[in-house]
């Protein structure tokens, strides 16, 4: 029996990337609206909440509540008329290290993530506004980069 209610949390497609001779376990990120399990870890870091909180917010989308939104996930090296999926390293299946940055203004979280010895593979930054938090994940290593932007309403 199929349901007409869409599932917003989906399984990811796993990929192995080789960047500067280093192998990285990654996953493909849906371009908008939908989430994959590995993205939840990325959202728990700047929000400092349990994964269940993020999963509940994603599940509320089925009820028409916009408590969490993925605005877009784009590769910056892609031709505007050609779609290439953005990949992110799986934080649980690679060697991860980080360098915290100073938070200024409305920045509540800012860190560079190093993956398998590749320095500054990505940057995660969170901005606090009156009614929501914006989280940006910026991929810096490998191809010319990419950006994922989320809005979390509290």
């Amino acid at each position: 029996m199929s349901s007409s209610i869409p599932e917003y949390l989906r399984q990811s497609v796993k990929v192995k990337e080789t960047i500067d001779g280093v192998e990285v376990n990654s996953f493909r990120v849906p371009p908008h609206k939908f989430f994959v399990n590995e993205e939840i870890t990325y959202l728990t870091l700047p929000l400092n909440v349990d994964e269940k909180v993020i999963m509940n917010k994603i599940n509320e989308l089925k009820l028409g509540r916009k408590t969490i939104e993925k605005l877009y996930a784009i590769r910056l090296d892609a031709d505007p008329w050609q779609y290439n999926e953005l990949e992110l390293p799986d934080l649980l299946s690679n060697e991860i290290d980080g360098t915290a940055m100073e938070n200024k203004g409305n920045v509540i979280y800012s860190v560079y993530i190093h993956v398998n010895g590749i320095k500054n593979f990505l940057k995660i930054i969170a901005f606090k506004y009156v009614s929501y938090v914006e989280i940006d994940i910026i991929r810096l290593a490998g191809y010319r980069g990419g950006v994922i932007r989320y809005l979390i309403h509290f």
Side-chain angles (χ1 to χ4, degrees), residues 29-46:
V29 181
H32 59 88
K33 192 173 171 181
F34 297 102
F35 299 81
V36 292
N37 294 322
E38 291 80 0
E39 281 178 276
I40 294 171
T41 307
Y42 279 92
L43 296 172
T44 60
L45 292 173

Side-chain angles (χ1 to χ4, degrees), residues 55-123:
M55 292 173 80
N56 287 340
K57 286 188 172 298
I58 291 169
N59 285 327
E60 284 181 4
L61 291 169
K62 290 190 261 189
L63 306 173
R65 296 190 189 125
K66 295 263 185 162
T67 57
I68 186 168
E69 296 176 83
K70 182 193 309 180
L71 298 181
Y72 52 81
I74 56 170
R75 276 178 61 158
L76 300 176
D77 69 336
D79 183 318
W81 309 115
Q82 176 186 354
Y83 171 70
N84 290 319
E85 280 188 299
L86 176 67
E87 292 98 10
L88 283 180
D90 186 339
L91 295 179
L92 302 177
S93 67
N94 290 294
E95 282 187 39
I96 304 297
D97 193 9
T99 303
M101 307 304 291
E102 185 180 347
N103 298 336
K104 295 181 180 179
N106 63 339
V107 175
I108 58 169
Y109 185 88
S110 180
V111 67
Y112 281 100
I113 303 287
H114 318 301
V115 180
N116 296 344
I118 302 170
K119 292 282 185 205
N120 301 341
F121 195 105
L122 10 117
K123 182 176 185 179

